[in-house]
Amino acid sequence: MNAPNADAELAFAVTEARAAELAAVPTLRFAVRVSDTTGVPIQSITLSTAIRIAPAKRRYSKRQAALLADLFGAPSRWVDTMRPLTWARVTTVVPAFTSEIVADLPVECGHDNELAVAKYFHAVRADEVPLQFLFSGTIFHTDRQGSLRTRRISWSSEAPFALPAEVWHDAVSGPHGHRWLRLSGDRFDALCAYRSRRGLTDWDAVVDALTAGEENGTAT
């Protein structure tokens, strides 16, 4: 039997991830199941979530290891260099519930290929990516007498999730498979001039022309 002044005790589980439709920026939506084991009415939760990639929790092919060298160095050094990669920190408000609720957690996907998380996903394209969700924040709930109480979420509250890498790639590529590169203003101006000189119709044609020239030893 619950004590009359029992405080809420929460448990978390991440159950699903999907690419958000019609988002202004590439976004994944994670479904987070929040359960209270005491049965007290929860008024709301100010939930802060830190999301990290846990790269040491899986194995890698030779091709993946070569692509990950920019992040972690040679595989022989990974025991020292392969540390968790911080992806995001998200704050959301979970509405009132009793016993259990599934909260929607939107997380932006950095599509700049210079970011560590983007480099990692570029290397791991078709496998599962081990994630760690670390939860903190404040619970607002009523006790058995109807008085409002607050409680901090336990520092040990966390949940693992195996994210299929293709879900991230679907989100950042969109329906047309587009990817983004960061360029300085001078480089962009030079590319624009190159495109104009060659009469090229789009940026894919610019890259095709440049890579073809490099392969033939005639890049200009």
Side-chain angles (χ1 to χ4, degrees):
M1 182 175 178
N2 291 324
N5 291 320
D7 285 323
E9 293 286 353
L10 300 184
F12 298 88
V14 182
T15 61
E16 183 187 13
R18 66 188 187 281
E21 298 180 359
L22 304 177
V25 297
T27 301
L28 286 182
R29 293 191 176 278
F30 291 93
V32 179
R33 185 174 67 241
V34 186
S35 304
D36 169 50
T37 60
T38 65
V40 300
I42 306 296
Q43 301 303 311
S44 67
I45 303 170
T46 302
L47 183 64
S48 181
T49 308
I51 305 170
R52 302 188 302 189
I53 295 173
K57 291 184 177 295
R58 53 155 295 166
R59 296 180 180 275
Y60 300 92
S61 68
K62 290 183 178 179
R63 175 188 172 278
Q64 291 169 339
L67 292 172
L68 290 171
D70 189 38
L71 289 175
F72 306 119
S76 60
R77 299 178 54 217
W78 284 3
V79 67
D80 297 316
T81 61
M82 186 171 275
R83 302 300 185 208
L85 299 175
T86 298
W87 180 352
R89 180 174 289 276
V90 182
T91 299
T92 189
V93 176
V94 179
F97 70 96
T98 300
S99 297
E100 185 174 289
I101 192 172
V102 176
D104 184 52
L105 192 67
V107 179
E108 293 184 6
C109 302
H111 52 272
D112 184 336
N113 287 328
E114 296 302 312
L115 297 176
V117 169
K119 289 181 179 180
Y120 182 87
F121 275 103
H122 177 69
V124 182
R125 302 190 64 87
D127 299 323
E128 291 185 338
V129 173
L131 301 181
Q132 295 175 322
F133 286 72
L134 310 176
F135 301 101
S136 59
T138 304
I139 311 164
F140 300 87
H141 67 94
T142 52
D143 62 19
R144 300 298 178 182
Q145 285 71 45
S147 300
L148 182 65
R149 299 171 66 91
T150 63
R151 180 176 181 141
R152 297 291 297 173
I153 295 173
S154 170
W155 64 269
S156 61
S157 297
E158 59 182 80
F161 183 71
L163 172 67
E166 60 265 24
V167 176
W168 185 90
H169 287 284
D170 288 345
V172 300
S173 299
H176 305 296
H178 291 159
R179 300 297 297 270
W180 301 90
L181 290 174
R182 181 173 58 188
L183 297 173
S184 67
D186 290 344
R187 299 299 191 280
F188 181 71
D189 290 343
L191 280 178
C192 287
Y194 179 87
R195 175 178 173 176
S196 179
R197 289 198 308 272
R198 297 296 184 94
L200 301 173
T201 57
D202 56 36
W203 295 113
D204 283 344
V206 171
V207 173
D208 288 343
L210 287 170
T211 53
E214 181 70 24
E215 291 172 0
N216 297 329
T218 60
T220 59

